[in-house]
Amino acid sequence: MMYEDITESEESDLCDWQLPLAFMKKRHTERIAASHTETQTWRMKERMKTVSVALVMCLNVGVDPPDVVKTSPCARLECWIDPLATSPQKALEAIGNSLQKQYERWQPRARYKQSLDPTVDEVKKLCTSLRRNAKEERVLFHYTGHGVPRPTTNGEIWVFNKTYTQYIPLSVYDLQTWMGSPSIFVYDCSNAGLILKSFEQFAMQKEQERDALHHPQISGITSRTQMSMPPPAKNCIQLAACGSRELLPMNPELPADLFTSCLTTPIKIALRWFCNQKSSDLVPGITLELLDKIPGRLNDRRTPLGELNWIFTAITDTIAWNVLPRELFQKLFRQDLLVASLFRNFLLAERIMRSYNCTPLSSPRLPPTYQHPMWQAWDLAVDICLSQLPALLNGAEYKHSPFFAEQLTAFQVWLTMGSEMREPPEQLPIVLQVLLSQVHRLRALDLLGRFLDLGPWAVSLALSVGIFPYVLKLLQSSARELRPLLVFIWAKILAVDRSCKADLVKDNGHKYFLSVLADPYMPGEHRTMAAFVLAMIVEGYLNGQVRTEAALQGNVVAICLEQLSDNHPLLRQWLALCLARVWTNFDAARWCGVRDSAHEKLYTLLNDNLPEVRASAVIALGTFIGSGSDRTDHATNIDHNVGMTLINVAQDGSPIVRKELVAALYQLIRQFEGQFASIARQILEDDIRKDENLTPAVAGTASGGFTVVLHGESAVKTNVSGPDLSRRRHSLQPIAPANLGRLKASALHKSPTVGGNLVHHHLPNGPQLSKSPPTPGGSSSSSSSSYGSHGSGDGFTPPAGPIMFEKMRRIPSTAALSTIFSSSYSNVYVQIWKVMLQLASDPYPEVKYLAQSLVNAINLKATFTAKPQLVVDSRRTNSAPNSPTNRRGANHSPQNLSDSPPPSTLNIPNEVLKPVPIRPGEQPPPARPQNPPPIGAAFSHTQQFSRSRKLFDKGPIIPETYEEEQQEVNETPASLAVGTDFSEWCCKYFAQSVMKPPDEMDPFSGLHHEREWRFVRNARLRREALDHIENAGTCRLDDQIFINKNTATPLVVRFHPFNPHIVVADKEGICVWNWENGEKLNYFTNQNPKNSRITSMDFLNSHDVTLVMTGSDDGAVRIWRNYWSQSHKPVELVSAWQALSDMLQSTRGSGLVLDWEQESGMLLASGDVRIIRVWDTQREMKLQDIPTGADSCVTSLACDSVGRSLLIAGCGDGSVRLYDRRLSPAECRVMTLREHNGWVTNVHLQKGAGDGKIISASVSGDVRFWDPRFTESVKLINTPFNTLTAMAVHQQANIIACGSANQLISVYNTAGDTLSNIKYYEGFIGQRIGPISCLAFHPLKMHLAAGSRDSFLSIYSTEKKAR
């Protein structure tokens, strides 16, 4: 257990709890993907209605059936009427009418037909007529058999002959046939369970007969089975009064039709049954006569009788919902109002009749419910009501039952510990009933909202219980106090089940949310939810868009635009997303936005502090320019304006924003596809025109095995040999530089390598090109000339790569650049295309691959649209190696273009192509006609067949893949699926809990316990380190406690402050070591381009969940998670962005120099540029650019920990420069210290007092101490090094380590005393060290790590390693 080494007396440091965490927001820890919440089936596929009711009553008043011996006295009442009080015929008619009225209370609009003491023919006629009229709706058949014999085991019930002298059997089989399906049967007679069994047996028999009808090979089919069969009986419902061997109760205190009374008059029979129980003694003075005097009506909830009926409905609904399976509950209690009422009352019948040894049965069968605890709540409610009855009859005021208030309290108690793992709250159906009461409605809605907040499972449960029609009806309420609750509830519902939006629009519910959004007095979080609901309504739902647009005096566009500057960030985010969805494919809304200058108002959100808001604004602007169907000049100007504004977002620090930028620019490129293809084509032609005698350069790899090559103004398709490509169809994919086997080296070095326009062009910010100044200080490489911004460094760096986005240290000449970006190119499309090329080499893979797919599509279209040519190249012989793209694994981009069939709308001119250049000694390719038809056109006769043909000649040989190819090369941006899941990911916020505090803030969560353990460990390690730090100034530091050979030459090394880990960065990867036991824990690549190297590295959140930050000399910063994981989780890229643009790449440059401080979350970036850029990692955006004022690179950075206003930069010209970032860029450099004669190796700002606050060292070997108050150094340490390659200062102790290329490390204290010299020793046991490449002290312990150029990593300590 990880708590074993922590004692109870130890406590965590408060500072650890207060330190902000970087890159730990949801956008970093979660995958930006849509949620796939599967809700339970709550919405019935088809609602049913019982439209016809057959009341068949076989009473034969005055004559008892022969097989039943009745007691004396005996139960006599039928429908609460004494049949012996009048003549038999009048009694029979009165009972029939009374039963009809009892049913009409539950279904007043049904068609009722009575059949009193009928014959078989009368029953048949009745049933067939009702089924014919009902069509596909449900029919109810009620059978009362108190005056006929009991049902038989053969499946027969009894009716009469016409003269009432005989009992005639009626087969249940025939009854099934006449009634059809769907139907519901009620049997109120003794031995009713026999009818259920017979019904099921006959239903199974009919299924077999129906199967026989569908198999003609079965012989012997009777004429009966050849008749058309009724629908199957599976949709039939049955209710039986008792079991197959049970008689109906004959207690004279009960009605004879006890089962029917329970089904049709539940409150009346329930009160009488209650008074007959012993518990009635608790309510003295209540008689059966008083029960009939309870005031009120059943349908008036404000009266005692109505309240009892309301409570009864809530309790029976609750019992059913808690006991029945969800599907069965939906079928019986939500599909049909009459069926739901009968089954609620059936639960009461089971309770009452079981007390008289009768077991009512049903089909489908229900589990026992007569002992459910909720019946005790019913007894209490009846007790409280009846106890007030004598006083009520004397005129006293009725005190309402506390039942609903108590049930809400029970529900509230459940919510305090509610979770998906627990049983659902049994009070949920009662909450639904409480919504009908104005007294408890506010509290019920509040508790319901808290329940829905538990997650999608809670929303599904609430919908399954039937909450939807209630909350839909409440939208018609004008009560302001309900608005926040209803908006919250509807946000939760729509986040889980979007099908509800159709019901909202149908009932004009969207107007409710428009009024909430437009209400300035409504809190921001509630307006946010209203914006979310409106966004869900209009999403892909044109009817919702139209209705929302026309609602109220204004429209949703105007309402959203008015609030874009609100202080609530989530509201700004959803306002933008709502706008994006409103005008998607909806011109009316878009032009409404144009009139309100929507795009200009959205521009302010592009600089919002929250990346999610910026991404939402980009989405809104992207759909704004992508929704216009008509291309007027005004619309085009707006699109251009939006596009030029959006390209500034390319420098955003958040990958989600840049990914949305690709999708937004895709909308513009799709609109103006021809212009962008023209630019891509001209860049290709201008770049290749310089040398027309070289091998055609590859423009792209087309599907079907063709490499697209260009030469001069020609586009040639060369068939690629190899078995793989003949089997597979590849979309346009990158080609690795090492795999360009068929292109000679001279073509790669002498001629620009073309991948569409994927050449490594360094483009200026504007249309004009300025020459790069020579790099002073000797920090630039003579082998690489590049453009560099002398000022802010804001210029965009388009992607570089030999073929398809691979970095290449080759820059076109100034003349070539001038030709490519001449004045004719200085337009909107060029600027946008430059940004798209930059995004195609983005350090974040998802952004890069999305942009690459779009760029490749445009390049391929530009290539094939211009001048296609089919060439069989004789130079590709059988002995030649395969094409690079033929080798699996040769492609470095895992994402292909869409394989969707492209539109055949290419405009291909028929022009004469220039010949393919021929190398000396090679045969020319076959001749071809001068004017080929466009791709897809039929060959002319002369082209298909030559005049002199060989016998059996089939005509010209056309490659098999040509037909496929001519379709696939037409891939256009319009056929690409360029989109993101960010908008859907944002919806997950409302599907998850927003009230529950995050786990790290919950003191009972496992995550909080883990953090507490880490912070306690940190505090203990800090205390243990104090003793060693105090003696550090006098102790030798030369005991080697770790040595191992690293994967490659260490360039940067860092100790983890609290784990025994050391991370080592080489040129292209990071190695993780456990320095205590010498174990190599992990190694992972940094994914930086091949010709770049890692130059900076640091730990983020080292006190908690640690991340690793790397910086490479192409200006990219990458953040890695799980650099080391006990659970072996894979290393994940959390974020990546271009910290600096226009880096002056050089083999001798400083690369990218970073300085990180956890307290503020600010990151300083500089290096081979002339600026220091300050990034805010919490907001993931650039704060400011500080010009260095130096003509050389920045080699090291430091800043103060309080306010981070003082910045110190060591430069390649030997100067140490101090900046105050609070001042303007022109005045921010406050001091320049120029005593070093060479490259400043490192600069350090001491956090405590000392002889000097600033320590710097140069390659000349001098270490100087500076006080910011003076321009001259206050102390100097002259090391014996001619070439000082590394210098490190301990953060806590006053010691300095200097490393040399002469295989020597010297350790000094700040007084200048030499503590240790670590150098190369000869001999068998002598330690050996190589030329030092990097040094680093442990932040707490007295450990020094040294990396050498021979790839060895050593750690030295003041303590000897324990053996």
Side-chain angles (χ1 to χ4, degrees), residues 267 271 294 298 300-301 303-314 378 381-383 385-386 398 401:
I267 302 301
L271 293 175
I294 296 178
L298 288 171
D300 188 353
R301 293 188 298 269
T303 62
L305 193 60
E307 187 176 59
L308 276 178
N309 184 57
W310 185 24
I311 295 174
F312 175 80
T313 303
W378 166 247
V382 172
D383 189 301
C385 179
L386 294 183
Y398 177 65
S401 172

Side-chain angles (χ1 to χ4, degrees), residues 945-1128:
F945 303 103
S946 60
R947 302 198 177 190
S948 59
R949 293 182 57 203
K950 297 180 181 179
L951 195 61
F952 309 117
D953 188 4
K954 297 181 180 180
I957 299 175
I958 300 176
E960 294 180 0
T961 59
Y962 180 64
E963 292 183 2
E964 298 178 358
E965 179 61 23
Q966 67 184 12
Q967 296 178 4
E968 302 236 357
V969 297
N970 293 347
E971 185 73 57
T972 63
S975 63
L976 286 175
V978 178
T980 68
D981 290 330
F982 173 76
S983 181
E984 294 297 320
W985 175 77
C986 293
C987 298
K988 291 168 62 176
Y989 171 83
F990 295 99
Q992 300 165 352
S993 177
V994 298
M995 296 182 182
K996 181 183 176 183
D999 287 343
E1000 57 267 20
M1001 304 300 294
D1002 183 2
F1004 301 102
S1005 68
L1007 185 60
H1008 186 276
H1009 291 160
E1010 290 179 10
R1011 294 192 73 196
E1012 188 174 22
W1013 175 85
R1014 283 193 289 266
F1015 296 165
V1016 170
R1017 174 205 62 183
N1018 298 349
R1020 188 191 66 183
L1021 293 176
R1022 290 189 185 103
R1023 288 193 297 270
E1024 291 176 353
L1026 290 177
D1027 296 337
H1028 301 285
I1029 291 173
E1030 291 176 358
N1031 303 322
T1034 57
C1035 294
R1036 293 180 58 83
L1037 195 150
D1038 54 5
D1039 286 322
Q1040 191 177 67
I1041 62 173
F1042 172 90
I1043 184 170
N1044 229 314
K1045 188 164 186 178
N1046 196 52
T1047 308
T1049 302
L1051 299 180
V1052 191
V1053 61
R1054 287 289 183 272
F1055 277 102
H1056 192 284
F1058 308 109
N1059 290 328
H1061 299 161
I1062 185 169
V1063 291
V1064 188
D1066 53 46
K1067 184 174 181 289
E1068 57 186 22
I1070 294 96
C1071 189
V1072 184
W1073 296 88
N1074 184 321
W1075 52 265
E1076 283 188 344
N1077 56 24
E1079 179 186 1
K1080 182 179 179 179
L1081 301 177
N1082 196 9
Y1083 181 85
F1084 59 93
T1085 60
N1086 190 50
Q1087 297 183 2
N1088 49 295
K1090 288 188 176 180
N1091 291 327
S1092 63
R1093 56 193 172 93
I1094 300 173
T1095 56
S1096 297
M1097 183 175 60
D1098 209 339
F1099 284 111
L1100 311 185
N1101 310 332
S1102 59
H1103 64 295
D1104 202 343
V1105 180
T1106 306
L1107 307 176
V1108 172
M1109 174 181 67
T1110 62
S1112 51
D1113 63 356
D1114 61 345
V1117 173
R1118 292 172 175 84
I1119 312 295
W1120 298 95
R1121 181 193 297 120
N1122 303 330
Y1123 79 96
W1124 168 80
S1125 176
Q1126 288 179 318
S1127 58
H1128 303 289

Side-chain angles (χ1 to χ4, degrees), residues 80 251 253-255 258 262 266-280 288 291 348-357 370 375 378-379 382 386:
W80 304 104
N251 190 330
E253 298 177 348
L254 302 174
L258 177 60
C262 290
I267 302 301
K268 190 172 184 177
I269 189 63
L271 293 175
R272 277 163 171 72
W273 181 78
F274 178 82
C275 289
N276 291 331
Q277 306 302 307
K278 291 182 179 181
S279 58
S280 64
L288 296 179
L291 293 180
L348 175 68
E350 183 190 16
R351 187 188 190 209
I352 292 178
M353 298 191 72
R354 274 182 179 268
S355 66
Y356 298 105
N357 299 319
Y370 65 100
W375 285 120
W378 166 247
D379 292 339
V382 172
L386 294 183

Side-chain angles (χ1 to χ4, degrees), residues 544-769:
Q545 288 174 322
V546 175
R547 286 174 179 257
T548 307
E549 185 71 18
L552 301 180
Q553 292 102 359
N555 54 64
V556 69
V557 174
I559 294 172
C560 291
L561 292 176
E562 289 174 359
Q563 305 183 52
L564 286 180
S565 58
D566 192 272
N567 293 329
H568 198 277
L570 197 60
L571 174 59
R572 300 195 300 271
Q573 175 183 341
W574 273 104
L575 288 173
L577 290 175
C578 182
L579 287 171
R581 294 185 175 189
V582 164
W583 55 48
T584 298
N585 301 323
F586 191 38
D587 279 349
R590 180 180 184 270
W591 281 110
C592 181
V594 170
R595 288 191 295 270
D596 287 346
S597 301
H599 53 294
E600 296 178 1
K601 295 176 181 178
L602 283 168
Y603 291 163
T604 59
L605 296 187
L606 296 179
N607 296 316
D608 196 273
N609 289 336
L610 200 66
E612 288 87 345
V613 178
R614 303 198 296 272
S616 303
V618 172
I619 293 176
L621 291 170
T623 55
F624 185 77
I625 60 180
S627 299
S629 57
D630 52 342
R631 291 289 96 203
T632 63
D633 291 342
H634 183 45
T636 301
N637 290 335
I638 292 175
D639 292 347
H640 288 177
N641 184 287
V642 173
M644 292 303 293
T645 305
L646 280 177
I647 61 177
N648 297 320
V649 182
Q651 295 295 321
D652 197 285
S654 175
I656 61 174
V657 180
R658 301 195 304 276
K659 191 173 180 182
E660 294 305 326
L661 176 62
V662 176
L665 294 181
Y666 159 73
Q667 300 290 345
L668 195 66
I669 293 174
R670 183 171 57 88
Q671 301 269 6
F672 305 99
E673 182 181 333
Q675 288 87 334
F676 285 101
S678 175
I679 291 172
R681 175 65 188 172
Q682 188 170 349
I683 293 176
L684 292 173
E685 292 178 348
D686 289 348
D687 202 27
I688 331 171
R689 193 176 289 119
K690 298 177 301 179
D691 191 352
E692 294 188 354
N693 295 323
L694 288 178
T695 303
V698 177
T701 306
S703 304
F706 288 99
T707 299
V708 182
V709 294
L710 292 170
H711 185 77
E713 298 179 354
S714 304
V716 184
K717 287 190 301 181
T718 307
N719 194 15
V720 179
S721 61
D724 286 346
L725 288 184
S726 64
R727 292 192 300 264
R728 297 179 57 201
R729 291 164 52 188
H730 291 273
S731 294
L732 209 144
Q733 299 177 357
I735 305 172
N739 297 325
L740 299 173
R742 303 302 295 167
L743 299 179
K744 288 192 174 182
S746 60
L748 286 175
H749 295 288
K750 190 174 179 181
S751 172
T753 307
V754 182
N757 41 348
L758 308 176
V759 188
H760 182 37
H761 295 303
H762 277 245
L763 309 178
N765 286 329
Q768 301 300 325
L769 180 73

